[in-house]
Amino acid sequence: MSIMHNPSHPGVILKDLYLDGAGLTVTQAAQSLGVSRKTLSQIVNGRAGISPQMALILAQAFPTSTPEQWLDLQQQYDLWQARQRQQPTIAPLWPVDNRVAPARR
């Protein structure tokens, strides 16, 4: 398992690689994507995440990307952020040496 170190918010990647790379402002991109400027601004400023719907939109607008890539970037970012917060200690719900999940009833 590889350990990710502080991955960038996908909005930063969207802005730096895609919007700036295409010479687009947030306003221009929002209009082209059919979303509000506020929505896109929140994403590129790391205040909102990339939803599955937005991932589909971005993949259409930037065909070198896929919805799965956008969602993977968001998931990596979210998981890293969650790991930075203190987590409660949870006891295993079945023996650790049992490699098969319990059967469903």
Side-chain angles (χ1 to χ4, degrees):
M1 169 170 59
S2 65
I3 297 176
M4 179 67 69
H5 296 283
N6 196 9
S8 295
H9 186 280
V12 172
I13 295 165
L14 172 60
K15 182 174 185 323
D16 291 350
L17 296 180
Y18 291 91
L19 301 187
D20 291 351
L24 294 169
T25 66
V26 170
T27 301
Q28 292 168 327
Q31 289 172 343
S32 294
L33 297 173
V35 300
S36 73
R37 185 194 184 290
K38 180 179 179 182
T39 295
L40 192 58
S41 178
Q42 287 177 327
I43 292 170
V44 299
N45 289 303
R47 291 190 301 269
I50 302 230
S51 67
Q53 182 63 39
M54 182 58 76
L56 290 169
I57 291 169
L58 293 173
Q60 288 181 48
F62 304 106
T64 59
S65 70
T66 66
E68 292 82 6
Q69 287 172 315
W70 290 111
L71 292 175
D72 186 48
L73 289 169
Q74 186 65 54
Q75 185 177 40
Q76 288 177 37
Y77 176 82
D78 290 344
L79 186 56
W80 192 88
Q81 292 295 319
R83 285 182 170 151
Q84 303 316 300
R85 296 186 286 275
Q86 186 171 356
Q87 302 296 315
T89 301
I90 306 292
L93 298 178
W94 67 79
V96 175
D97 62 343
N98 183 353
R99 297 196 175 143
V100 178
R104 290 186 179 180
R105 291 184 179 190

